[in-house]
Amino acid sequence: MGRLSDPAESRAVLIGVSRYQQMDELPAVAANVTTLAGLLTDPTVWGLPAANCAVVLDPSSSVEILEPIHEAARSARDALVVYFAGHGLLDQHSRLYLGLPQGSPARLHHAVHFDEIRREVVLTARRCRAKVVILDCCYSGKAMTGYMSARTADPPVVDGAYLMTATAEGTLAVAPPDADYTAFTGALVETLRDGVPDGPDPLDMETLFGHVERRLSDRGLPTPQRRSRNEGHRIAIARNRAPTAVPAPPVPSAPSRHPARLAVAGGAAALLLLVLLLAAQQVGMFSDARERGRQAPDLGKAPSATGVGTATSTPARGRMSPTTSSPAPVPGPNQPDPALNQRVTVGVGDTGRTSDGTVDVGVTHNSQDGIGFFVLTSAVNCTVNGSTVGDSVVVPELSGTWIRVVVLSSIHPTVDARDPTFDIPVVFSITRGTGARPKSVPCA
């Protein structure tokens, strides 16, 4: 059971295109967007502040879509929700585009390539804990390819994404005539409004999707699709309004009948213990001083590990004796390793980090057009597009060293892209160096 995402630290961008010049109009889409905005800002559902919920209806250009998504992705720290309803279009390579009012299959320059939205959600919002993308359009299942993949890890904190689409990749979405909402969003609105009987509270994304799927199946409508990455199915952006909702279990605690008395008693006990410890330390120090006054210094004896008490000739556990050279220090987290040289495997939509925590590498896409990835160091945040195996990028660090990232291989699986384990990971070599920098492809 997931926790409800913090509304104050979350953002939502709801986009709808209802009026088209070259294709059938979708009047229900306007109601989709306004109703969803009302539900997400309703304190009994999520309680998202109105300023954190951007509504974009009938945008005339791609900028009117991408700009609010970019700003929301930059600001969100807990959850980012991006919703689109309208006509979905495909190019000659079967890539998904989201149609604008002037768009049509022959006018894709009046449409937004979904990879542009993917980039904002994956790259710009990488500091955001949880990302949710909901697409209500024809061919929306095409967004599954290369977006996110299932993971078996079970981290204690959700850090992932969830993609929900109205249809499979080759299926048309349905907008029933004279209906208040499109078919998919109508089922979503009903589930958010009415809740899930006997379901968890708050509603995690997998429970929300399952109930939407059942509603559509019962009506003989197209089956929606979903894809979860990094425990994204646990993301929760809505309370369960059903009367029989099962609340999340409280954090275990053992309250006292007399907390004030215990607090006073505990404070007194702590003060007494502190006094005793200080007294013992003073006795030990005076005793040690008297002992040193009676004994001549012995240069062959190792110093005490704590600096208190008589020195002994036996080295302290875990330390080297004075006659043995010290080993090279092992860098801790976020401490640069001067000998950094390792391989990192990163899936599409994922981010990998070096063992010393100083370099992040994320893959935004991996397709026939090449590999897109970003590199983040203490001094640089840059992106490479259209790279191939063997390409390398060299970026600086604030310490004066440089980081070299080489694309070693791209593992293309043979499984179907609709399989929940589908992914195309990329293997990188990451090394740290000094002096003259090796040749590099541009990283902007």
Side-chain angles (χ1 to χ4, degrees), residues 119 123 126 360-362 364 372-377 379-385 393-396 405 440-444:
R119 172 187 171 86
L123 181 57
R126 63 180 174 273
D360 288 346
V361 178
T364 57
F373 65 94
F374 64 84
V375 180
L376 177 64
T377 71
V380 166
N381 178 1
C382 64
T383 303
V384 178
N385 287 307
V393 60
V394 179
V395 297
V405 180
S440 167
V441 298
C443 189

Side-chain angles (χ1 to χ4, degrees), residues 38-414:
L39 287 169
L40 295 181
T41 56
D42 188 330
T44 66
V45 179
W46 189 10
L48 195 67
N52 293 1
C53 184
V55 174
V56 182
L57 186 59
D58 295 321
S60 59
S61 69
S62 60
V63 174
E64 292 183 30
I65 289 179
L66 296 175
E67 186 66 25
I69 294 178
H70 180 79
E71 291 304 318
R74 289 181 55 192
S75 304
R77 289 296 177 265
D78 200 2
L80 171 66
V81 178
V82 177
Y83 167 90
F84 173 84
H87 280 300
L89 305 170
L90 299 179
D91 66 5
Q92 66 270 30
H93 300 295
S94 295
R95 291 175 297 197
L96 179 64
Y97 286 75
L98 309 182
L100 298 175
Q102 301 88 359
S104 71
R107 296 167 61 86
L108 290 179
H109 55 287
H110 288 295
V112 179
H113 190 194
F114 179 71
D115 275 356
E116 295 294 324
I117 295 176
R118 186 204 320 271
R119 172 187 171 86
E120 297 298 333
V121 173
V122 173
L123 181 57
T124 307
R126 63 180 174 273
R127 302 299 186 192
C128 182
R129 183 187 68 92
K131 281 84 72 174
V132 175
V133 176
I134 302 173
L135 300 179
D136 187 358
C137 62
C138 298
Y139 316 116
S140 52
K142 283 289 185 182
M144 298 286 179
T145 304
Y147 181 71
M148 55 185 72
S149 59
R151 292 288 182 266
T152 58
D154 189 14
V157 178
V158 176
D159 182 9
Y162 198 89
L163 172 65
M164 186 188 300
T165 68
T167 69
E169 60 183 49
T171 308
L172 301 178
V174 176
D178 302 324
D180 291 336
Y181 311 106
T182 59
F184 169 76
T185 299
L188 178 61
V189 164
E190 291 168 359
T191 304
L192 292 173
R193 182 192 63 205
D194 303 332
V196 177
D198 301 318
D201 185 21
L203 289 172
D204 57 78
M205 291 305 301
E206 193 66 11
T207 301
L208 182 65
F209 172 83
H211 207 67
V212 170
E213 182 183 33
R214 283 191 293 274
R215 286 179 181 271
L216 293 171
S217 177
D218 291 345
R219 298 166 186 171
L221 294 168
T223 303
Q225 308 291 309
R226 90 286 202 188
R227 184 65 50 85
S228 173
R229 178 172 65 84
N230 289 356
E231 301 301 305
H233 63 278
R234 292 186 178 182
I235 299 170
I237 58 170
R239 296 178 176 87
N240 190 350
R241 299 175 75 177
T244 57
V246 180
V251 178
S253 60
S256 166
R257 292 183 180 180
H258 306 287
R261 294 181 187 176
L262 281 182
V264 173
L271 180 61
L272 178 60
L273 178 60
L274 177 61
V275 171
L276 292 175
L277 287 174
L278 289 174
Q281 184 179 19
Q282 292 296 323
V283 171
M285 291 176 65
F286 285 125
S287 174
D288 185 46
R290 289 194 298 270
E291 185 68 21
R292 287 196 299 270
R294 289 193 294 267
Q295 294 183 357
D298 185 349
L299 298 180
K301 295 182 179 180
S304 167
T306 61
V308 178
T310 306
T312 173
S313 59
T314 303
R317 184 182 300 273
R319 297 177 180 268
M320 304 299 294
S321 65
T323 58
T324 305
S325 60
S326 299
V330 178
N334 298 318
Q335 294 298 316
D337 179 3
L340 179 66
N341 186 353
Q342 67 182 87
R343 294 187 179 188
V344 176
T345 301
V346 186
V348 175
D350 283 343
T351 302
R353 175 169 292 179
T354 55
S355 57
D356 64 357
T358 60
V359 183
D360 288 346
V361 178
V363 177
T364 57
H365 62 272
N366 186 1
S367 65
Q368 59 187 1
D369 297 326
I371 300 168
F373 65 94
F374 64 84
V375 180
L376 177 64
T377 71
S378 60
V380 166
N381 178 1
C382 64
T383 303
V384 178
N385 287 307
S387 64
T388 60
V389 173
D391 285 348
S392 67
V393 60
V394 179
V395 297
E397 294 184 289
L398 291 178
S399 60
T401 57
W402 46 258
I403 292 294
R404 187 186 188 200
V405 180
V406 182
V407 181
L408 290 183
S409 63
S410 176
I411 307 171
H412 290 267
T414 57

